[in-house]
Amino acid sequence: MRFIVDNQLPPALVDWLVGKGHQADHVFPLGMSQADDAQIWRWAISEAAIVVTKDADFAQRRLSGAEGPRVLWLRIGNAAAAVLLAWLEVRWTEISAALTSDLGVIEVR
């Protein structure tokens, strides 16, 4: 699977996803650190990527019925990269199963 990691998440998440066998890009090296959601949305569609975000706007857009990329919505507050990655590791089996479904939004709490 391919992912695009939104700006409010650390670039270390890209390496973590790659370590799990996926392709991943962070918005910063793609020149989209100041991009609006629509630009990231279009990029994700064009690259068949899943948007990884803490931003409710992406999830709400997809849940509203908008055609577009799938959204992996991480519902964790501000956390250091190491804390975030440990939090994801505990949940990864469940997340992986959800990623094989046809859900438009995968909400992780």
Side-chain angles (χ1 to χ4, degrees):
M1 288 182 204
R2 182 151 192 196
F3 297 91
I4 183 168
V5 177
D6 200 9
N7 204 35
Q8 76 279 32
L9 292 166
L13 181 52
V14 169
D15 294 333
W16 189 84
L17 288 165
V18 169
K20 296 290 185 190
H22 301 287
Q23 293 179 296
D25 295 287
H26 195 276
V27 294
F28 185 75
L30 294 173
M32 292 193 292
S33 62
Q34 301 298 316
D36 62 16
D37 289 352
Q39 184 179 353
I40 295 167
W41 189 266
R42 286 190 302 272
W43 187 93
I45 291 169
S46 72
E47 298 296 323
I50 297 166
V51 177
V52 185
T53 187
K54 288 173 44 177
D55 186 349
D57 292 348
F58 282 109
Q60 290 169 349
R61 183 174 184 172
R62 187 64 163 93
L63 289 169
S64 73
E67 290 294 321
R70 297 173 71 202
V71 176
L72 181 57
W73 185 21
L74 306 182
R75 302 291 302 271
I76 183 173
N78 292 336
V83 172
L84 170 69
L85 298 179
W87 180 83
L88 280 170
E89 189 68 46
V90 170
R91 293 160 175 77
W92 191 248
T93 300
E94 187 177 328
I95 294 168
S96 292
L99 288 169
T100 63
S101 74
D102 60 353
L103 294 171
V105 175
I106 299 161
E107 182 178 358
V108 183
R109 291 181 177 265

XYZ file of all heavy atoms in Angstrom:
850
model
N 0.843 -1.180 0.000
C 0.000 0.000 0.000
C 0.883 1.235 0.000
O 2.020 1.203 0.444
C -0.881 0.007 1.235
C -1.964 -1.007 1.187
S -2.995 -0.904 2.651
C -3.602 -2.554 2.601
N 0.313 2.303 -0.458
C 1.025 3.573 -0.499
C 0.316 4.558 0.425
O -0.911 4.623 0.455
C 1.046 4.116 -1.913
C 1.809 5.414 -2.020
C 2.418 5.596 -3.350
N 3.359 6.702 -3.300
C 3.826 7.287 -4.354
N 3.475 6.873 -5.550
N 4.669 8.275 -4.250
N 1.119 5.333 1.134
C 0.606 6.305 2.087
C 1.216 7.670 1.833
O 2.359 7.775 1.383
C 0.969 5.889 3.521
C 0.368 4.598 3.958
C 1.037 3.398 3.769
C -0.873 4.563 4.579
C 0.487 2.191 4.184
C -1.433 3.364 4.998
C -0.747 2.174 4.795
N 0.453 8.714 2.149
C 0.993 10.063 2.253
C 0.715 10.530 3.676
O -0.419 10.458 4.160
C 0.413 11.044 1.206
C 1.095 12.406 1.349
C -1.088 11.125 1.262
C 0.849 13.379 0.218
N 1.776 10.948 4.354
C 1.705 11.351 5.752
C 1.534 12.864 5.814
O 2.350 13.613 5.255
C 2.967 10.889 6.513
C 2.942 11.369 7.954
C 3.095 9.358 6.447
N 0.492 13.292 6.483
C 0.151 14.704 6.586
C 1.152 15.462 7.463
O 1.890 14.872 8.256
C -1.270 14.834 7.129
C -1.914 16.178 6.850
O -1.363 16.980 6.089
O -3.003 16.430 7.423
N 1.123 16.760 7.338
C 2.108 17.658 7.936
C 2.216 17.580 9.455
O 3.293 17.754 10.011
C 1.794 19.096 7.509
C 2.998 19.991 7.554
O 4.113 19.557 7.278
N 2.777 21.239 7.890
N 1.114 17.352 10.158
C 1.156 17.370 11.616
C 1.716 16.068 12.205
O 1.831 15.944 13.419
C -0.210 17.709 12.208
C -1.221 16.582 12.181
C -1.921 16.400 10.857
O -1.366 16.638 9.783
N -3.153 15.937 10.898
N 2.071 15.132 11.355
C 2.676 13.876 11.802
C 4.166 13.877 11.459
O 4.579 14.475 10.462
C 1.963 12.689 11.148
C 0.526 12.482 11.627
C -0.216 11.534 10.709
C 0.522 11.971 13.060
N 4.975 13.180 12.250
C 6.429 13.247 12.061
C 6.910 12.457 10.838
O 6.346 11.405 10.506
C 6.981 12.622 13.346
C 5.907 11.684 13.793
C 4.605 12.359 13.405
N 7.961 12.948 10.194
C 8.559 12.199 9.074
C 9.006 10.798 9.472
O 9.061 9.907 8.621
C 9.749 13.073 8.665
C 9.360 14.449 9.092
C 8.574 14.263 10.365
N 9.287 10.563 10.745
C 9.676 9.221 11.207
C 8.586 8.193 10.905
O 8.880 6.997 10.760
C 9.979 9.246 12.702
N 7.355 8.627 10.784
C 6.264 7.715 10.450
C 6.457 7.113 9.061
O 6.087 5.963 8.818
C 4.917 8.437 10.565
C 3.658 7.623 10.265
C 3.609 6.324 11.063
C 2.424 8.470 10.518
N 7.038 7.870 8.156
C 7.319 7.356 6.809
C 8.254 6.153 6.903
O 7.986 5.092 6.328
C 7.923 8.459 5.910
C 8.462 7.876 4.614
C 6.882 9.525 5.622
N 9.353 6.292 7.623
C 10.302 5.188 7.777
C 9.635 3.987 8.443
O 9.894 2.839 8.074
C 11.513 5.626 8.598
C 12.337 6.685 7.881
O 12.329 6.727 6.628
O 12.979 7.488 8.581
N 8.786 4.240 9.422
C 8.091 3.167 10.122
C 7.185 2.395 9.163
O 7.181 1.170 9.156
C 7.302 3.765 11.294
C 6.718 2.753 12.213
C 7.324 2.128 13.257
C 5.373 2.246 12.169
N 6.443 1.251 13.865
C 5.246 1.318 13.218
C 4.283 2.493 11.347
C 4.065 0.629 13.466
C 3.100 1.811 11.599
C 2.999 0.892 12.642
N 6.435 3.121 8.330
C 5.556 2.470 7.354
C 6.359 1.690 6.314
O 5.978 0.580 5.933
C 4.659 3.505 6.672
C 3.547 4.095 7.537
C 2.974 5.351 6.904
C 2.459 3.060 7.796
N 7.463 2.261 5.867
C 8.336 1.560 4.923
C 8.856 0.275 5.565
O 8.918 -0.777 4.928
C 9.480 2.477 4.443
C 10.536 1.696 3.676
C 8.922 3.611 3.580
N 9.201 0.347 6.836
C 9.639 -0.839 7.571
C 8.573 -1.916 7.657
O 8.883 -3.100 7.836
N 7.327 -1.523 7.524
C 6.212 -2.466 7.523
C 5.938 -3.004 6.117
O 4.998 -3.753 5.899
C 4.932 -1.810 8.062
C 5.010 -1.390 9.512
C 5.042 -2.597 10.409
C 5.008 -2.177 11.872
N 5.278 -3.318 12.750
N 6.751 -2.588 5.141
C 6.617 -3.093 3.778
C 5.775 -2.253 2.844
O 5.373 -2.719 1.779
N 5.514 -1.011 3.222
C 4.665 -0.134 2.410
C 5.489 0.984 1.778
O 6.617 1.238 2.175
C 3.553 0.472 3.278
C 2.693 -0.563 3.914
N 1.767 -1.297 3.218
C 2.634 -1.014 5.195
C 1.164 -2.136 4.033
N 1.675 -1.995 5.238
N 4.900 1.666 0.829
C 5.471 2.882 0.279
C 4.867 4.043 1.052
O 3.669 4.019 1.360
C 5.132 3.048 -1.197
C 5.762 2.025 -2.104
C 5.326 2.293 -3.534
O 4.151 2.191 -3.861
N 6.279 2.638 -4.364
N 5.673 5.038 1.348
C 5.144 6.184 2.094
C 5.946 7.430 1.766
O 7.153 7.358 1.517
C 5.199 5.905 3.595
N 5.246 8.542 1.755
C 5.846 9.857 1.538
C 5.281 10.802 2.584
O 4.114 10.688 2.971
C 5.487 10.405 0.152
C 6.069 9.581 -0.970
O 7.286 9.668 -1.178
O 5.295 8.845 -1.614
N 6.109 11.739 2.998
C 5.652 12.814 3.880
C 5.424 14.036 3.002
O 6.125 14.225 1.996
C 6.713 13.102 4.955
C 6.193 13.925 6.085
N 6.147 15.300 6.021
C 5.686 13.573 7.290
C 5.627 15.758 7.159
N 5.348 14.735 7.949
N 4.476 14.872 3.361
C 4.165 16.042 2.532
C 5.357 16.994 2.395
O 5.514 17.641 1.364
C 2.926 16.806 3.046
C 1.680 15.966 2.911
C 3.113 17.301 4.468
N 6.199 17.073 3.413
C 7.291 18.046 3.386
C 8.243 17.860 2.198
O 8.430 18.790 1.415
C 8.049 18.052 4.713
C 9.111 19.118 4.777
C 8.759 20.443 4.956
C 10.441 18.795 4.636
C 9.715 21.441 4.989
C 11.414 19.780 4.666
C 11.058 21.104 4.849
N 8.853 16.670 2.006
C 9.761 16.538 0.861
C 9.054 16.588 -0.495
O 9.701 16.786 -1.524
C 10.467 15.199 1.074
C 9.717 14.492 2.117
C 8.883 15.495 2.851
N 7.741 16.433 -0.491
C 6.985 16.545 -1.739
C 6.667 18.001 -2.077
O 6.014 18.275 -3.075
C 5.675 15.756 -1.630
C 5.810 14.241 -1.498
C 4.442 13.617 -1.238
C 6.451 13.644 -2.740
N 7.124 18.915 -1.232
C 6.860 20.332 -1.461
C 5.449 20.747 -1.081
O 4.959 21.774 -1.541
N 4.802 19.967 -0.228
C 3.419 20.269 0.138
C 3.259 20.588 1.621
O 2.170 20.428 2.176
C 2.511 19.104 -0.249
C 2.381 18.918 -1.743
S 1.035 17.800 -2.223
C 1.636 16.234 -1.614
N 4.301 21.068 2.268
C 4.186 21.368 3.698
C 3.209 22.513 3.964
O 2.629 22.585 5.038
C 5.553 21.689 4.305
O 6.101 22.840 3.702
N 3.013 23.379 2.997
C 2.056 24.485 3.130
C 0.809 24.274 2.275
O 0.002 25.183 2.118
C 2.729 25.809 2.733
C 3.947 26.161 3.550
C 3.621 26.348 5.018
O 2.636 26.986 5.371
N 4.437 25.779 5.888
N 0.665 23.069 1.741
C -0.464 22.783 0.846
C -1.774 22.729 1.619
O -1.816 22.352 2.786
C -0.237 21.447 0.146
N -2.829 23.105 0.933
C -4.137 22.952 1.557
C -4.600 21.501 1.386
O -3.991 20.716 0.648
C -5.149 23.942 0.990
C -5.419 23.773 -0.491
O -5.076 22.725 -1.081
O -6.003 24.695 -1.082
N -5.652 21.160 2.104
C -6.140 19.784 2.077
C -6.497 19.329 0.673
O -6.278 18.170 0.314
C -7.366 19.633 2.990
C -7.031 19.723 4.465
O -5.834 19.759 4.815
O -7.980 19.759 5.274
N -7.041 20.218 -0.145
C -7.454 19.844 -1.500
C -6.263 19.391 -2.340
O -6.373 18.435 -3.117
C -8.167 21.016 -2.175
N -5.135 20.052 -2.180
C -3.952 19.673 -2.952
C -3.451 18.290 -2.518
O -3.111 17.454 -3.353
C -2.849 20.716 -2.790
C -1.627 20.423 -3.642
C -0.543 21.483 -3.492
O -0.727 22.505 -2.859
N 0.600 21.207 -4.089
N -3.415 18.056 -1.228
C -2.990 16.745 -0.719
C -3.985 15.677 -1.164
O -3.593 14.584 -1.583
C -2.853 16.788 0.818
C -1.723 17.762 1.196
C -2.605 15.395 1.385
C -1.679 18.131 2.666
N -5.259 15.993 -1.113
C -6.327 15.087 -1.548
C -6.121 14.675 -3.005
O -6.169 13.489 -3.336
C -7.659 15.809 -1.367
C -8.905 15.011 -1.546
C -9.642 14.894 -2.683
C -9.581 14.238 -0.546
N -10.745 14.109 -2.455
C -10.721 13.695 -1.154
C -9.330 13.977 0.792
C -11.620 12.886 -0.461
C -10.221 13.168 1.481
C -11.348 12.635 0.850
N -5.868 15.670 -3.858
C -5.657 15.381 -5.292
C -4.415 14.524 -5.503
O -4.419 13.607 -6.326
C -5.561 16.680 -6.088
C -6.894 17.383 -6.275
C -6.815 18.538 -7.260
N -5.842 19.546 -6.872
C -6.096 20.590 -6.081
N -7.319 20.750 -5.588
N -5.156 21.467 -5.797
N -3.333 14.832 -4.778
C -2.111 14.043 -4.907
C -2.379 12.600 -4.506
O -1.960 11.667 -5.195
C -0.988 14.634 -4.043
C 0.332 13.972 -4.273
C 1.303 14.369 -5.142
C 0.828 12.788 -3.634
N 2.372 13.509 -5.083
C 2.106 12.520 -4.165
C 0.319 11.927 -2.674
C 2.872 11.434 -3.758
C 1.075 10.832 -2.273
C 2.341 10.608 -2.816
N -3.088 12.402 -3.396
C -3.394 11.050 -2.927
C -4.220 10.282 -3.961
O -3.980 9.098 -4.200
C -4.107 11.099 -1.581
N -5.166 10.948 -4.584
C -5.964 10.302 -5.634
C -5.054 9.902 -6.791
O -5.104 8.760 -7.258
C -7.093 11.229 -6.128
C -8.153 11.414 -5.043
C -7.723 10.686 -7.409
C -9.162 12.507 -5.342
N -4.225 10.824 -7.241
C -3.385 10.550 -8.411
C -2.365 9.445 -8.155
O -1.965 8.744 -9.085
C -2.676 11.823 -8.881
O -1.652 12.197 -7.968
N -1.975 9.274 -6.916
C -0.969 8.261 -6.566
C -1.572 7.019 -5.910
O -0.835 6.127 -5.492
C 0.072 8.873 -5.625
C 0.845 10.028 -6.229
C 1.697 9.610 -7.413
O 2.260 8.486 -7.390
O 1.812 10.392 -8.372
N -2.900 6.967 -5.822
C -3.602 5.864 -5.154
C -3.041 5.646 -3.746
O -2.762 4.522 -3.333
C -3.534 4.583 -5.986
N -2.881 6.740 -3.024
C -2.301 6.705 -1.681
C -3.374 6.904 -0.622
O -4.382 7.576 -0.848
C -1.233 7.791 -1.547
N -3.123 6.346 0.530
C -3.972 6.525 1.702
C -3.427 7.717 2.485
O -2.221 7.798 2.740
C -3.953 5.262 2.576
C -4.533 4.079 1.795
C -4.699 5.484 3.889
C -4.256 2.724 2.421
N -4.284 8.652 2.836
C -3.877 9.823 3.612
C -3.804 9.423 5.086
O -4.796 8.960 5.652
C -4.857 10.998 3.437
C -4.447 12.176 4.309
C -4.955 11.408 1.977
N -2.631 9.610 5.699
C -2.461 9.362 7.130
C -2.447 10.727 7.799
O -1.608 11.578 7.481
C -1.146 8.614 7.438
C -1.067 8.274 8.920
C -1.019 7.357 6.589
N -3.381 10.947 8.710
C -3.581 12.284 9.248
C -4.135 12.253 10.662
O -4.702 11.248 11.091
C -4.549 13.066 8.332
O -4.621 14.423 8.746
C -5.931 12.443 8.308
N -3.964 13.357 11.352
C -4.661 13.603 12.614
C -5.787 14.611 12.387
O -6.524 14.935 13.295
C -3.674 14.141 13.662
C -2.715 13.098 14.149
C -1.621 13.616 15.044
C -2.013 14.585 16.094
N -0.904 14.990 16.967
N -5.901 15.098 11.180
C -6.825 16.156 10.792
C -8.224 15.600 10.526
O -8.417 14.805 9.605
C -6.269 16.831 9.533
C -7.050 18.036 9.088
O -8.156 18.289 9.604
O -6.553 18.745 8.197
N -9.188 16.027 11.306
C -10.571 15.576 11.131
C -11.141 15.987 9.778
O -12.044 15.321 9.266
C -11.442 16.120 12.254
N -10.608 17.043 9.185
C -11.147 17.523 7.909
C -11.084 16.457 6.816
O -12.016 16.311 6.030
C -10.406 18.778 7.442
C -10.674 19.974 8.328
O -11.597 19.913 9.164
O -9.941 20.973 8.193
N -9.972 15.735 6.740
C -9.853 14.683 5.722
C -10.902 13.594 5.955
O -11.554 13.144 5.016
C -8.455 14.062 5.736
C -7.418 14.896 5.061
C -6.445 15.520 5.807
C -7.382 15.033 3.685
C -5.459 16.286 5.200
C -6.416 15.792 3.055
C -5.444 16.424 3.821
N -11.043 13.165 7.200
C -12.012 12.119 7.518
C -13.433 12.588 7.212
O -14.220 11.853 6.600
C -11.881 11.718 8.983
N -13.759 13.800 7.612
C -15.109 14.327 7.367
C -15.395 14.449 5.881
O -16.507 14.148 5.428
C -15.283 15.657 8.076
C -15.328 15.494 9.582
C -15.223 16.810 10.333
O -14.922 17.853 9.774
N -15.454 16.743 11.637
N -14.404 14.858 5.125
C -14.588 14.985 3.678
C -14.913 13.627 3.064
O -15.815 13.502 2.249
C -13.328 15.577 3.052
C -13.428 15.825 1.582
C -12.184 16.544 1.086
N -12.313 16.872 -0.314
C -11.464 17.627 -0.969
N -10.422 18.154 -0.348
N -11.642 17.885 -2.232
N -14.171 12.612 3.476
C -14.393 11.270 2.932
C -15.721 10.699 3.414
O -16.457 10.084 2.641
C -13.231 10.365 3.340
C -13.256 8.987 2.693
C -13.093 9.132 1.168
N -12.708 7.882 0.573
C -13.559 6.992 0.073
N -14.846 7.220 0.077
N -13.111 5.880 -0.448
N -16.045 10.920 4.680
C -17.304 10.416 5.230
C -18.521 11.106 4.633
O -19.618 10.554 4.629
C -17.311 10.557 6.753
C -16.372 9.606 7.507
C -16.266 10.014 8.975
C -16.831 8.164 7.368
N -18.325 12.317 4.108
C -19.440 13.049 3.505
C -19.831 12.475 2.148
O -20.782 12.935 1.530
C -19.077 14.528 3.340
O -18.152 14.687 2.278
N -19.081 11.488 1.709
C -19.394 10.862 0.434
C -18.527 11.333 -0.704
O -18.709 10.903 -1.843
N -17.583 12.201 -0.412
C -16.694 12.697 -1.457
C -15.858 11.551 -2.017
O -15.371 10.706 -1.276
C -15.768 13.782 -0.907
N -15.757 11.519 -3.324
C -14.857 10.549 -3.949
C -13.438 10.943 -3.577
O -13.107 12.123 -3.506
C -15.024 10.576 -5.467
C -16.331 10.007 -5.946
C -16.456 8.514 -5.668
O -15.459 7.784 -5.808
O -17.565 8.086 -5.309
N -12.633 9.968 -3.333
C -11.266 10.321 -3.009
C -10.509 9.204 -2.351
O -10.949 8.050 -2.337
N -9.387 9.571 -1.781
C -8.522 8.565 -1.181
C -9.088 8.046 0.131
O -9.955 8.670 0.746
C -7.223 9.338 -0.931
C -7.689 10.733 -0.686
C -8.855 10.920 -1.626
N -8.563 6.928 0.526
C -8.893 6.414 1.849
C -8.124 7.241 2.870
O -7.100 7.836 2.560
C -8.527 4.942 1.933
C -9.374 4.148 0.932
C -8.948 2.720 0.847
N -9.322 2.042 2.079
C -8.752 0.924 2.501
N -7.780 0.365 1.823
N -9.146 0.363 3.623
N -8.631 7.262 4.090
C -8.042 8.085 5.142
C -7.774 7.206 6.355
O -8.693 6.524 6.843
C -8.978 9.252 5.519
C -8.407 10.057 6.682
C -9.247 10.142 4.307
N -6.539 7.245 6.834
C -6.163 6.611 8.097
C -6.070 7.737 9.105
O -5.138 8.534 9.092
C -4.835 5.866 7.951
C -4.313 5.136 9.186
C -5.321 4.117 9.707
C -2.978 4.466 8.859
N -7.097 7.836 9.949
C -7.273 8.967 10.860
C -6.771 8.571 12.236
O -7.397 7.764 12.923
C -8.744 9.342 10.882
C -9.117 10.546 11.662
C -8.316 11.582 12.039
C -10.425 10.872 12.139
N -9.042 12.523 12.725
C -10.344 12.107 12.796
C -11.652 10.226 12.065
C -11.440 12.718 13.390
C -12.752 10.826 12.644
C -12.651 12.064 13.295
N -5.660 9.123 12.642
C -5.032 8.804 13.912
C -5.548 9.751 14.978
O -5.281 10.945 14.938
C -3.505 8.891 13.800
C -2.888 8.062 12.678
C -1.372 8.189 12.704
C -3.319 6.600 12.756
N -6.281 9.218 15.929
C -6.911 10.006 16.984
C -6.040 9.961 18.236
O -6.411 9.378 19.237
C -8.311 9.472 17.260
C -9.253 9.466 16.071
C -9.647 10.864 15.635
N -10.267 11.625 16.679
C -11.554 11.657 16.960
N -12.402 10.937 16.231
N -12.016 12.389 17.936
N -4.890 10.545 18.138
C -3.959 10.638 19.254
C -3.607 12.111 19.402
O -3.456 12.813 18.404
C -2.700 9.767 19.019
C -1.752 9.815 20.225
C -2.004 10.111 17.723
C -0.565 8.858 20.142
N -3.490 12.562 20.611
C -3.111 13.951 20.841
C -1.660 14.190 20.480
O -1.001 13.337 19.877
N -1.167 15.348 20.859
C 0.242 15.648 20.611
C 1.104 14.608 21.297
O 0.916 14.320 22.476
C 0.594 17.047 21.110
C -0.081 18.124 20.282
O -0.438 17.899 19.131
N -0.271 19.288 20.864
N 2.022 14.035 20.551
C 2.881 12.983 21.089
C 4.213 13.023 20.364
O 4.269 13.309 19.164
C 2.225 11.622 20.904
N 5.265 12.743 21.091
C 6.584 12.619 20.472
C 6.544 11.471 19.468
O 5.713 10.552 19.581
C 7.633 12.356 21.546
N 7.435 11.519 18.502
C 7.460 10.492 17.452
C 7.550 9.090 18.042
O 6.824 8.185 17.613
C 8.611 10.757 16.489
N 8.407 8.895 19.023
C 8.568 7.561 19.612
C 7.276 7.076 20.262
O 6.918 5.900 20.154
C 9.709 7.569 20.624
N 6.561 7.975 20.910
C 5.287 7.622 21.545
C 4.261 7.267 20.475
O 3.531 6.276 20.594
C 4.790 8.772 22.449
C 3.385 8.509 22.955
C 5.765 8.984 23.603
N 4.186 8.058 19.424
C 3.256 7.792 18.328
C 3.531 6.425 17.705
O 2.612 5.635 17.482
C 3.358 8.880 17.256
C 2.618 8.593 15.950
C 1.112 8.629 16.161
C 3.043 9.558 14.870
N 4.787 6.137 17.420
C 5.129 4.870 16.771
C 4.837 3.680 17.679
O 4.348 2.645 17.202
C 6.587 4.885 16.319
C 6.923 5.974 15.287
C 8.398 5.923 14.921
C 6.035 5.903 14.058
N 5.079 3.822 18.972
C 4.751 2.749 19.914
C 3.233 2.550 19.973
O 2.740 1.412 20.029
C 5.312 3.071 21.296
N 2.488 3.642 19.965
C 1.021 3.604 19.969
C 0.506 2.869 18.728
O -0.388 2.036 18.806
C 0.518 5.042 20.033
C -0.953 5.259 20.054
C -1.779 5.205 21.143
C -1.787 5.619 18.943
N -3.067 5.506 20.771
C -3.097 5.768 19.427
C -1.548 5.842 17.591
C -4.168 6.114 18.611
C -2.612 6.194 16.772
C -3.900 6.328 17.280
N 1.104 3.167 17.574
C 0.708 2.501 16.336
C 1.082 1.025 16.345
O 0.318 0.186 15.867
C 1.361 3.181 15.127
C 0.705 4.449 14.640
C 1.576 5.135 13.604
C -0.674 4.163 14.074
N 2.252 0.717 16.851
C 2.720 -0.673 16.864
C 1.723 -1.574 17.591
O 1.399 -2.663 17.109
C 4.092 -0.754 17.533
C 4.759 -2.099 17.404
C 5.169 -2.443 15.986
O 5.761 -1.600 15.291
O 4.886 -3.592 15.556
N 1.214 -1.102 18.709
C 0.239 -1.875 19.488
C -1.040 -2.109 18.679
O -1.694 -3.142 18.826
C -0.079 -1.139 20.809
C -1.260 -1.759 21.537
C 1.146 -1.095 21.697
N -1.385 -1.193 17.831
C -2.646 -1.243 17.088
C -2.483 -1.761 15.654
O -3.467 -1.881 14.922
C -3.260 0.161 17.049
C -3.713 0.644 18.412
C -3.854 2.157 18.479
N -4.388 2.585 19.750
C -3.672 2.649 20.881
N -2.385 2.333 20.872
N -4.230 3.044 22.006
N -1.267 -2.058 15.223
C -1.006 -2.300 13.808
C -1.741 -3.525 13.261
O -2.206 -3.512 12.116
C 0.487 -2.375 13.508
C 0.709 -2.361 12.030
C 1.185 -3.381 11.263
C 0.417 -1.292 11.117
N 1.221 -3.007 9.934
C 0.745 -1.723 9.827
C -0.105 -0.004 11.286
C 0.589 -0.924 8.704
C -0.260 0.794 10.156
C 0.081 0.335 8.892
N -1.868 -4.571 14.015
C -2.585 -5.751 13.517
C -4.021 -5.391 13.165
O -4.514 -5.749 12.088
C -2.561 -6.892 14.569
O -1.190 -7.224 14.818
C -3.305 -8.114 14.081
N -4.666 -4.648 14.033
C -6.042 -4.215 13.787
C -6.108 -3.236 12.605
O -7.008 -3.313 11.763
C -6.588 -3.555 15.051
C -8.047 -3.211 15.002
C -8.537 -2.624 16.321
O -8.024 -2.999 17.385
O -9.444 -1.770 16.259
N -5.163 -2.328 12.538
C -5.114 -1.366 11.431
C -4.914 -2.100 10.109
O -5.583 -1.812 9.120
C -4.012 -0.313 11.656
C -4.342 0.559 12.867
C -3.810 0.540 10.413
C -3.178 1.422 13.345
N -3.980 -3.040 10.086
C -3.704 -3.805 8.862
C -4.949 -4.514 8.358
O -5.217 -4.535 7.152
C -2.593 -4.829 9.107
O -1.374 -4.176 9.322
N -5.698 -5.101 9.279
C -6.943 -5.770 8.883
C -7.925 -4.769 8.286
O -8.557 -5.045 7.265
C -7.553 -6.484 10.085
N -8.047 -3.607 8.898
C -8.959 -2.578 8.387
C -8.512 -2.071 7.017
O -9.349 -1.759 6.164
C -9.060 -1.425 9.382
N -7.204 -2.015 6.805
C -6.691 -1.542 5.517
C -7.036 -2.486 4.375
O -7.062 -2.075 3.219
C -5.176 -1.333 5.587
C -4.719 -0.132 6.405
C -3.213 -0.179 6.634
C -5.126 1.181 5.737
N -7.309 -3.742 4.673
C -7.694 -4.689 3.625
C -9.194 -4.648 3.350
O -9.663 -5.297 2.430
C -7.269 -6.125 3.987
O -7.958 -6.538 5.164
C -5.764 -6.225 4.178
N -9.927 -3.885 4.142
C -11.367 -3.744 3.935
C -11.620 -2.638 2.909
O -10.694 -2.046 2.378
C -12.051 -3.398 5.261
O -11.781 -2.047 5.603
N -12.890 -2.357 2.687
C -13.234 -1.285 1.753
C -13.640 0.001 2.478
O -14.265 0.885 1.888
C -14.332 -1.731 0.792
C -15.626 -2.127 1.496
O -15.639 -2.180 2.741
O -16.622 -2.371 0.786
N -13.282 0.116 3.749
C -13.610 1.318 4.519
C -12.934 2.549 3.914
O -11.745 2.511 3.605
C -13.162 1.166 5.970
C -13.880 0.108 6.806
C -13.168 -0.060 8.144
C -15.326 0.519 7.003
N -13.685 3.628 3.790
C -13.113 4.875 3.290
C -12.294 5.594 4.352
O -11.323 6.264 4.053
N -12.727 5.459 5.612
C -12.029 6.073 6.727
C -11.767 5.002 7.780
O -12.686 4.292 8.180
C -12.845 7.232 7.361
C -12.149 7.773 8.603
C -13.086 8.329 6.342
N -10.521 4.917 8.193
C -10.136 4.005 9.266
C -9.736 4.884 10.431
O -8.726 5.584 10.376
C -8.996 3.082 8.823
C -9.449 2.242 7.647
C -8.519 2.222 10.001
C -8.332 1.643 6.843
N -10.564 4.895 11.435
C -10.334 5.735 12.609
C -9.628 4.901 13.666
O -10.109 3.838 14.059
C -11.664 6.261 13.140
C -11.529 7.171 14.316
C -12.869 7.726 14.794
O -13.914 7.433 14.172
O -12.867 8.462 15.795
N -8.482 5.399 14.128
C -7.691 4.674 15.116
C -7.678 5.489 16.395
O -7.250 6.637 16.415
C -6.246 4.452 14.612
C -5.466 3.626 15.633
C -6.248 3.788 13.244
N -8.138 4.865 17.465
C -8.160 5.514 18.793
C -7.217 4.797 19.731
O -6.967 3.669 19.651
C -9.563 5.488 19.379
C -10.505 6.376 18.621
C -11.890 6.335 19.276
N -12.779 7.231 18.612
C -13.015 8.483 19.017
N -12.429 8.969 20.071
N -13.859 9.238 18.353
